[in-house]
Amino acid sequence: MKRVLLVLLALVFLLAGVLVVRTLRFDSRQVSAEPAEPFPVDATAAAGRLAEALRHRTIAASDGMRTEDAAFQALHAQLVAAFPRVHAQLEHEAVGAHAHLYTWKGSEPGLHPVLLMGHLDVVPAEAEATWSHPPFGGVVADGYVHGRGALDDKGSVLAILEAVEGLLAQDYRPRRTVMLAFGADEEVGGHDGAALVAQRLRERGVHLESVLDEGSPIGVGLVPGVAAPVALVGVAEKGSTRVELKVRSAGGHASMPPRQTAANILARALVRLEENPFKPELRGGTRALFEYVGPEMNFGMRLLFANTWLFAPIIERQMAGAPSTDASIRTTTAATMLEGSPKPNVLPSQARAVLNVRLLPGDSLEDVRTHMRKVVDDPRVEVAAEGDEASPVSSLDTEGWRQLQRSIRQEFPDVLVAPFLTVAATDARYFHSLSDSVYRFVPVRLTREDLARMHGRDERLSVDEHAAAIRFYAQYLRNTTR
């Protein structure tokens, strides 16, 4: 027995030694970068141009709504007037109904182009009378540009155009071709905008050096255990799938019900799915996030993330405790629509549920179908699933990633850079076949309160943050094109 205890004690010390050594070798992945080159920005004038863009009610068609064609046309006319050098020196192509593709030809056409993206459409503004400033008023007040689309995503589009206009004014000539793609239906799927742009580039045989679209911001206080702001760069995004469960029956009068109605059968299926979610797994962009921020934490947290081979189950269990973090480690299922009988005294001849399933990269539509059928385990419940697969995870060993990380650190030297899994959908998902370096990032500092305004009430963007975004895009373009 004594010998067994000694062996166990030795194993404990060996394990502790391994954990400590791995923690001490868990080095920072942040790059050192020289200061950004000066780039003059008239913050007041830039804020005014963004405010004007917010006055156009560019809401994409959805759920029976018609597209605001006149608003999109007026916005484009404004952009032509506000950025004359862009529209005089870059090639412009209209794509779909209201999307746009610009090409700034480089001096070395053999180099793969870089693509910057954004979208011109916005979501509707609910309860407009309750906003502090009219959502489509384009008001500049108290150091902010107020209005729907300030954050999502006209702020990015205008900042990109401001940067290109400024570089053109300096007579800057890129070696590498630059492309700008601005969709007009991202909020409803991007099928008439970004998808068509990607298709057009594929047909031309274009391979992109890198793609930078909207995404997560520089999070202030968003990453627990990390005091510094963190630039959360989306390296992948979850897929979005519509799953329909359907139960058919003979129907009839509710005064003589069978033991189980179609609604009962459907309800049992939904309960089973709720009680048997997809398994959590720390992988892809979420694992990479901790590989980048872990070395910046205290020793205890560093030990945890330096040894995910051992502590992954503990991390997963902790993350599963909140919806915001649970979504980053598993394929999620949410029942969003239910349908049964049209009258209270009539048995439903059909009961139907629609679920929104967000696929973790690595899970497929077929995995969803298989899981649903296995969990429901009832042949009376029909299962159909269709939608978008999760994106691949972009490489972190490319020149595109290195230049993006360098550009962020140059313009925001106090900020950490970390990969991230984007849980919502963006137009970037259409471009993974064109590049190994597809990233999603908005170069502005936002708190949790700021994020709540996106798609919510009182959306706004700081005038100073908008100016910083312009300087970032200018530096990023200089880094990637010369």
Side-chain angles (χ1 to χ4, degrees), residues 178-311:
V178 176
M179 291 183 170
L180 313 176
F182 303 135
D185 65 337
E186 189 271 351
E187 299 292 1
V188 293
H191 303 290
D192 190 51
L196 295 182
V197 171
Q199 179 182 334
R200 185 170 297 189
L201 297 182
R202 276 192 297 271
E203 291 171 350
R204 294 173 181 173
V206 173
H207 179 83
L208 298 168
E209 175 72 11
S210 61
V211 177
L212 181 59
D213 192 12
E214 62 156 338
S216 297
I218 299 172
V220 179
L222 298 185
V223 182
V226 181
V230 181
L232 299 166
V233 180
V235 295
E237 66 182 62
K238 300 183 80 171
S240 181
T241 302
R242 172 193 171 104
V243 176
E244 185 173 275
L245 305 183
K246 190 180 296 182
V247 181
R248 306 175 194 270
S249 72
H253 200 283
S255 62
M256 296 177 290
R259 289 288 184 182
Q260 285 188 321
T261 69
N264 296 140
I265 296 168
L266 179 64
R268 288 173 182 268
L270 292 173
V271 169
R272 291 192 190 104
L273 290 171
E274 181 181 313
E275 293 176 346
N276 296 274
F278 285 81
K279 291 182 179 179
E281 187 171 353
L282 191 66
R283 65 186 187 215
T286 304
R287 179 180 287 271
L289 167 67
F290 294 118
E291 290 172 350
Y292 274 72
V293 300
E296 316 303 326
M297 296 180 172
N298 61 42
F299 185 82
M301 297 297 284
R302 285 175 59 205
L303 185 143
L304 195 69
F305 292 117
N307 296 280
T308 53
W309 61 276
L310 179 64
F311 296 120

Side-chain angles (χ1 to χ4, degrees), residues 13 17-18 31 41 68 79 83 100 160 202 213 216 228 247 299-300 313 326 354 369-370 384 394 408 473:
F13 277 111
V18 169
V31 298
V41 175
E68 301 284 351
L79 298 181
F83 304 105
H100 303 276
I160 291 169
R202 276 192 297 271
D213 192 12
S216 297
V247 181
F299 185 82
D326 186 51
V354 175
R369 296 184 188 102
T370 300
S394 290
I408 295 171
Y473 284 120

Side-chain angles (χ1 to χ4, degrees), residues 450-461:
D450 296 323
L451 288 174
R453 299 174 186 270
M454 194 178 297
H455 284 211
R457 188 168 66 90
D458 285 346
E459 185 176 351
R460 68 185 189 182
L461 174 63

Side-chain angles (χ1 to χ4, degrees), residues 46-58:
R49 286 186 284 270
L50 174 57
E52 185 178 354
L54 300 184
R55 294 176 194 133
H56 302 290
R57 196 181 289 260
T58 51

Side-chain angles (χ1 to χ4, degrees), residues 8-163:
L8 291 176
L9 187 61
L11 290 174
V12 169
F13 277 111
L14 177 62
L15 176 61
V18 169
L19 296 178
V20 170
V21 169
R22 287 179 62 90
T23 303
L24 294 175
R25 291 180 176 176
F26 195 34
D27 296 327
S28 176
R29 299 197 178 192
Q30 303 305 309
V31 298
S32 298
E34 69 279 13
E37 300 172 46
F39 187 78
V41 175
D42 185 334
T44 301
R49 286 186 284 270
L50 174 57
E52 185 178 354
L54 300 184
R55 294 176 194 133
H56 302 290
R57 196 181 289 260
T58 51
I59 301 173
S62 66
D63 300 326
M65 295 175 55
R66 65 179 180 85
T67 301
E68 301 284 351
D69 294 317
F72 280 101
Q73 292 163 2
L75 173 58
H76 184 244
Q78 178 214 327
L79 298 181
V80 172
F83 304 105
R85 293 182 181 86
V86 169
H87 290 87
Q89 299 185 45
L90 274 62
E91 294 180 1
H92 170 256
E93 301 173 65
V95 182
H98 300 295
H100 303 276
L101 174 64
Y102 297 85
T103 302
W104 188 5
K105 287 189 175 180
S107 60
E108 297 186 22
L111 297 175
H112 296 312
V114 295
L115 174 65
L116 274 67
M117 297 175 57
H119 64 90
L120 304 168
D121 59 308
V122 300
V123 297
E126 302 294 335
E128 294 190 23
T130 67
W131 285 54
S132 301
H133 298 279
F136 295 100
V139 174
V140 182
D142 306 319
Y144 290 90
V145 185
H146 299 262
R148 175 62 82 221
L151 294 173
D152 187 14
D153 178 45
K154 290 178 181 176
S156 294
V157 171
L158 270 289
I160 291 169
L161 289 171
E162 295 276 0

